[in-house]
Amino acid sequence: MKMIMAVVQDKDSNRLSQALIKENIRATKLASTGGFLKAGNTTFMIGIEDDRVEPVLDLIRENCKARQQVMAPISSMGGHADSYVSYPVEVQVGGATVFILPIDRFEQF
Ligand code: 2BA
């Protein structure tokens, strides 16, 4: 068994949830925040048998797309606006960042 942890954009989260439910794949959604953009994203925890890992990755690939996101410039709080110049920065946020971990033991009570 494996644990798939997938960080996806909030915009894709409902679509991915529906696709997982349709394929009878159990998942837990966690509200998360990207360390860089400090914007909300969604982390899916999916415990799954080894032979179903690839189909789950296919579903994630099909339902999550990369987008350009603009990072707002940092506003000057200290009155030294001329000491640095801040521009809006555009970054490409991936469709999904996926970690696949081995599970030693799985129990449900
Ligand atoms: P964020 O940390 O908010 O990052 C959003 C996007 O900003 C990243 O997209 C990347 O394109 C860019 N970025 C991140 N750190 C950067 C840096 N130090 N310098 C320049 N650009 C940077 P993705 O790589 O697709 O990541 C999307 C989200 O997935 C991340 O949101 C974070 O929540 C998660 N993530 C990505 N890599 C991770 C990792 N190694 N461990 C844990 N979470 C990760």
Side-chain angles (χ1 to χ4, degrees):
M1 191 164 198
K2 295 283 190 291
M3 171 63 68
I4 299 177
M5 298 200 63
V7 185
V8 311
Q9 295 177 51
D10 284 344
K11 282 178 185 159
D12 295 321
S13 127
N14 275 345
R15 204 152 42 120
L16 180 58
S17 281
Q18 293 307 317
L20 292 169
I21 290 165
K22 202 169 151 217
E23 296 300 322
N24 201 21
I25 295 160
R26 295 178 186 203
T28 297
K29 279 166 71 174
L30 307 172
S32 45
T33 305
F36 186 68
L37 292 179
K38 296 175 179 59
N41 52 29
T42 305
T43 300
F44 283 80
M45 276 174 57
I46 306 166
I48 196 85
E49 298 80 11
D50 287 7
D51 60 346
R52 297 176 79 197
V53 167
E54 288 308 319
V56 170
L57 294 181
D58 289 342
L59 276 185
I60 295 172
R61 209 174 283 121
E62 284 160 20
N63 287 284
C64 301
K65 56 178 184 180
R67 295 183 183 87
Q68 293 293 120
Q69 202 157 314
V70 176
M71 189 185 170
I74 307 150
S75 60
S76 161
M77 302 293 285
H80 298 289
D82 52 346
S83 61
Y84 62 87
V85 185
S86 52
Y87 300 99
V89 179
E90 210 173 61
V91 290
Q92 161 127 339
V93 184
T97 299
V98 182
F99 304 90
I100 302 164
L101 310 150
I103 304 245
D104 285 344
R105 187 169 157 171
F106 171 67
E107 302 278 1
Q108 275 186 310
F109 300 106

